[in-house]
Amino acid sequence: QKEVEQNSGPLSVPEGAIASLNCTYSDRGSQSFFWYRQYSGKSPELIMSIYSNGDKEDGRFTAQLNKASQYVSLLIRDSQPSDSATYLCAVNMMYSGGGADGLTFGKGTHLIIQP
Amino acid sequence: EAGVAQSPRYKIIEKRQSVAFWCNPISGHATLYWYQQILGQGPKLLIQFQNNGVVDDSQLPKDRFSAERLKGVDSTLKIQPAKLEDSAVYLCASSPRVGTEAFFGQGTRLTVV
């Protein structure tokens, strides 16, 4: 049974600071990793995808992947009150035959940016 | 580009009744998913389609849930009979290729009373 673990929070960060969100996964065969943002009452919205070890930056967001440690993180620089939401980590695994399973999600981390 | 469309947005039914949800994925996306999200939890995969074939339905409660994707485009998810614990948001998502990012529809909030 694949598992994706996240600290549920809430994680409280002052406006303008860096928010750091962490995620660990159990399946060493996982190959695709995603961060989604979900506002209360809304559906998940894709923020970042990362497929190889290292860092990937997109605007104020940086995703970091360490497959050896089975760890993926999301950094949000210059945090804004509008970043307050639940952040979901998701992973999936590619099969040798070319298929892939569906995304397995963590429970999410509730982030609060304090003005 | 139009997103994933779902209907209805909200549904309230009594236990033991049946309900159906509809999803139209992003044009050209071969992979379609149905997820169940209970309040305070992450989405849980119910079923994955590749074109009109089922790839994974291992977490679908098949005694009461069914899903189909006719002609590899639209999909319906049905619950019959519903139980109180089925109260959740049902999310449809689609992906352009296997193993890539999924894009979600607005979801259907189901309340079973």
Side-chain angles (χ1 to χ4, degrees), chain A residues 61-114:
Chain A
F61 299 96
T62 299
Q64 300 174 317
L65 174 62
N66 183 326
K67 289 186 178 181
S69 298
Q70 296 177 235
Y71 177 90
V72 58
S73 64
L74 178 70
L75 301 178
I76 306 175
R77 290 181 300 280
D78 189 24
S79 297
Q80 302 297 311
S82 59
D83 295 327
S84 298
T86 296
Y87 288 80
L88 297 163
C89 174
V91 307
N92 73 357
M93 184 173 70
M94 296 292 293
Y95 301 135
S96 58
D101 61 2
L103 297 179
T104 298
F105 283 84
K107 291 186 177 181
T109 297
H110 183 44
L111 176 65
I112 299 172
I113 306 301
Q114 294 182 322

Side-chain angles (χ1 to χ4, degrees), chain A residues 1 32 34 36 38 41 43-44 46 49 51 88 92 94 98 100-103 105-107, chain B residues 33 35 37 40-43 45 48 55 59 91 98-106 109:
Chain A
Q1 180 77 13
S32 303
F34 308 92
Y36 286 82
Q38 187 171 30
S43 61
L46 180 70
S49 58
Y51 300 94
L88 297 163
N92 73 357
M94 296 292 293
D101 61 2
L103 297 179
F105 283 84
K107 291 186 177 181
Chain B
Y33 313 89
Y35 284 87
Q37 187 173 25
Q41 299 184 16
L45 179 67
Q48 175 185 352
V55 174
Q59 298 189 88
L91 296 161
V98 291
T100 63
E101 60 274 9
F103 298 93
F104 285 85
Q106 291 181 303
R109 182 176 299 276

Side-chain angles (χ1 to χ4, degrees), chain B residues 9-20:
Chain B
R9 288 294 309 279
Y10 305 92
K11 191 76 176 177
I12 300 174
I13 62 172
E14 295 183 349
K15 60 183 179 182
R16 291 188 291 274
Q17 286 187 326
S18 62
V19 64

